Amino acid sequence: VYKRQILQCEEGYYIADDEELDAYVNGEKAYVSAQDGNRTTLTVGYSVPVASGVRGQVVSFHDGSDVTVSLFVDGSAEPKYTVAVPGGTKDSSGKYTAVYDIPSVTAGIYTVQVSKKKHVTREYTVTVGGNVKTLNAEIWLLGDVNGDGIRDMTDAVQIRRKFNGKISVFSKGDAETKAYRLKVANVYTDSSIDTTDSGQIQRLFNGKSSVLH
């Protein structure tokens, strides 16, 4: 984008010759494109961030309570954009699908956090600029390591297998999915995946008191 700016001196002042004039507009050096008496025209190039939006669907479980989608700029603890939408209606597979739309997002790179009650918050990275960006997400219940919406002995067994160094579901998926699955397995949120976590899932499954209630 280029813009022309006319500079005019007050009476008694004058503008230097072209080769003597250094001018900056918003930090960008301008060049003289015309002079006429006490008037000088400057031309400067600059960029303007293009606003677009982020939209998509979020798959979750358990109930239709609100899903929150928040966009964070790098290094910020507070979201720059956030929206909460109903979780949606349960389908035949037990999943709830929410639809969200965040319009007029300034161009840039954002960390997107998707959250819901009883679920583990999931993070994505999205680059916004020019066109509307579509970002679909899926979040799992705490302890539901296979992501089927049910916390049962299958999940407890998979955690025990990982703890014992055996083949488990934790080796499946891309790097982001593997990292998220570890967060889902950490029922006690103590940075350790062990039989304490699987024990809490087993207690929930058997109808006993558990941190997962």
Side-chain angles (χ1 to χ4, degrees):
V1 179
Y2 287 91
K3 182 178 181 179
R4 294 182 181 276
Q5 180 67 47
I6 307 297
L7 301 182
Q8 185 169 355
C9 290
E10 295 180 1
E11 186 177 354
Y13 292 86
Y14 69 95
I15 295 177
D17 294 335
D18 295 10
E19 63 273 11
E20 299 175 6
L21 180 63
D22 283 328
Y24 292 83
V25 178
N26 293 337
E28 299 290 342
K29 188 171 183 178
Y31 63 90
V32 177
S33 57
Q35 280 188 304
D36 180 17
N38 67 341
R39 293 163 58 90
T40 295
T41 302
L42 305 178
T43 301
V44 61
Y46 62 95
S47 61
V48 177
V50 178
S52 58
V54 180
R55 65 179 58 165
Q57 298 182 339
V58 178
V59 173
S60 64
F61 301 91
H62 186 62
D63 61 20
S65 58
D66 285 357
V67 169
T68 301
V69 181
S70 301
L71 276 61
F72 295 78
V73 296
D74 187 35
S76 175
E78 297 295 327
K80 187 171 183 179
Y81 306 94
T82 189
V83 63
V85 296
T89 303
K90 185 177 180 179
D91 65 16
S92 59
S93 67
K95 296 180 178 180
Y96 293 79
T97 301
V99 177
Y100 74 94
D101 185 6
I102 306 177
S104 301
V105 176
T106 303
I109 300 175
Y110 296 88
T111 296
V112 182
Q113 291 188 355
V114 184
S115 59
K116 180 183 174 181
K117 181 181 64 177
K118 295 184 180 294
H119 290 64
V120 178
T121 298
R122 196 164 191 169
E123 291 189 352
Y124 300 85
T125 300
V126 64
T127 300
V128 179
N131 298 320
V132 173
K133 183 72 175 183
T134 298
L135 176 66
N136 296 323
E138 181 171 307
I139 50 178
W140 301 344
L141 291 162
L142 180 62
D144 180 21
V145 297
N146 64 356
D148 65 354
I150 304 171
R151 294 174 290 188
D152 55 18
M153 291 307 300
T154 301
D155 302 298
V157 168
Q158 289 300 315
I159 292 176
R160 286 202 297 267
R161 290 185 65 85
K162 175 175 174 53
F163 178 72
N164 291 320
K166 297 181 179 180
I167 296 175
S168 71
V169 72
F170 290 88
S171 62
K172 295 183 178 181
D174 58 18
E176 187 278 330
T177 300
K178 290 178 181 178
Y180 183 65
R181 202 186 305 274
L182 289 174
K183 291 177 63 177
V184 171
N186 192 17
V187 173
Y188 250 82
T189 62
D190 58 358
S191 73
S192 177
I193 311 300
D194 53 29
T195 55
T196 301
D197 302 299
S198 62
Q200 289 299 313
I201 297 172
Q202 185 171 347
R203 291 184 65 85
L204 176 71
F205 179 72
N206 290 326
K208 298 181 179 179
S209 61
S210 167
V211 297
L212 292 171
H213 281 296

